[in-house]
Amino acid sequence: MKGTLGDLKGDIKKIQKVLEGNLFSITPEEGKRIFSDSQSLIRKIDTIEEGFLTIGLLGGTGVGKSTLMNALAGKVISSASHLRPHTDDIMIYRHVDAPVPSSLPISGMPWRDLTHEESSIEGILLCDLPDFDSLIGKHRERVIQFLEYLDLLIWVTSPEKYGDGRFYDFLRLVPRSKENFYFVLNKTDILFDGKPGNEGLDELAAITGYLREYLQDEGLVAPPLYIVSSNEALEGINLAHWNQFPSL
């Protein structure tokens, strides 16, 4: 293959051959780490060559991931009929004319292939990941391994779930560059139900402050954080002034 990406992949493979010859003054552990990192780069190049942006949505039970996915698509692509047959299944939503990228490690992985016809996200693969609080043992390990292959990982929480310690426990386990993490506080419209506007805003400000503090405790300083109501966005009604869905 001609071109910059092909040349880069060739250079990486040359480096791997040198590593196999043990010509560097590095420890075996360092060699393994460099080789593993180089493999990740090759997989990333493969994904870029295939022209897809692969986005994962990860959160706990009941945080509204499916509604958020539909809102991002601008159309209902995830419906009640798409319930997971098993708690560890990965749901991959792709345009009907877009193949599943060969770089995704789906062999031996429990997953479902779901197609849609929404042209606005033809170049995007949306991966609805299992609820982290339903994963145990090998199921959890397989999902964590899958996360390494995603371009972006959107962590979704809600006013009811943002303080769940399991959310932050799982965050520590994920071997991904934190620069690729986005955070969404979804379902924030519930803070305004039956309350004066100022009271809802005060509660929202307090929750957002706590959430930022929790993330900072995990080494995430000023990560991208969006305050949204994906339900508002999906219904197409006038968005509340605090709803940052358009920015997302």
Side-chain angles (χ1 to χ4, degrees):
M1 173 183 172
K2 297 180 180 180
T4 304
L5 290 176
D7 293 342
L8 178 57
K9 185 159 49 172
D11 290 342
I12 293 172
K13 289 182 177 180
K14 289 177 183 177
I15 292 173
Q16 289 180 332
K17 286 188 177 297
V18 174
L19 285 170
E20 290 173 354
N22 198 27
L23 299 179
F24 291 121
S25 298
I26 58 177
T27 66
E29 290 74 17
E30 289 173 325
K32 289 179 181 179
R33 178 182 58 79
I34 295 172
F35 189 88
S36 177
D37 290 344
S38 67
Q39 283 292 94
S40 295
L41 285 173
I42 288 176
R43 289 192 295 265
K44 184 64 65 179
I45 291 170
D46 289 340
T47 301
I48 293 172
E49 288 175 341
E50 290 174 323
F52 293 102
L53 179 66
T54 308
I55 301 176
L57 281 80
L58 180 64
T61 306
V63 297
K65 287 192 287 107
S66 293
T67 306
L68 177 60
M69 185 181 304
N70 289 333
L72 289 171
K75 182 180 180 181
V76 175
I77 62 172
S78 175
S79 66
S81 64
H82 294 173
L83 294 175
R84 298 179 202 277
H86 305 287
T87 59
D88 58 333
D89 278 13
I90 295 170
M91 318 284 274
I92 298 178
Y93 292 82
R94 62 180 178 86
H95 189 271
V96 66
D97 294 328
V100 176
S102 60
S103 55
L104 280 182
I106 53 179
S107 178
M109 182 82 65
W111 67 288
R112 291 185 67 195
D113 182 22
L114 300 164
T115 59
H116 61 81
E117 298 182 1
E118 184 54 42
S119 60
S120 63
I121 57 169
E122 185 173 354
I124 297 176
L125 264 74
L126 290 171
C127 302
D128 183 7
L129 300 161
D131 299 337
F132 71 85
D133 47 12
S134 70
L135 294 169
I136 58 174
K138 291 183 179 180
H139 298 169
R140 172 175 290 201
E141 293 174 10
R142 283 199 295 259
V143 170
I144 289 175
Q145 290 169 1
F146 181 84
L147 300 182
E148 184 180 349
Y149 295 80
L150 302 177
D151 297 309
L152 295 175
L153 184 56
I154 300 178
W155 295 79
V156 188
T157 187
S158 67
E160 309 104 321
K161 294 278 188 172
Y162 77 95
D164 188 343
R166 294 173 297 177
F167 179 84
Y168 305 98
D169 290 341
F170 197 81
L171 178 60
R172 297 185 198 109
L173 297 174
V174 177
R176 287 287 296 150
S177 170
K178 291 181 171 57
E179 286 75 19
N180 296 328
F181 289 176
Y182 286 72
F183 294 87
V184 169
L185 180 66
N186 193 24
K187 298 175 64 177
T188 45
D189 52 297
I190 66 175
L191 298 175
F192 297 87
D193 290 345
K195 300 177 184 176
N198 289 341
E199 184 178 334
L201 288 173
D202 289 344
E203 191 171 354
L204 177 58
I207 289 174
T208 304
Y210 288 132
L211 178 54
R212 289 191 181 278
E213 287 182 12
Y214 294 153
L215 294 175
Q216 186 168 340
D217 289 343
E218 300 302 328
L220 291 150
V221 180
L225 171 61
Y226 297 90
I227 313 303
V228 309
S229 165
S230 52
N231 192 50
E232 271 191 1
L234 184 61
E235 290 180 356
I237 62 178
N238 291 330
L239 301 184
H241 68 277
W242 47 261
N243 193 342
Q244 297 176 332
F245 183 84
S247 299
L248 175 64

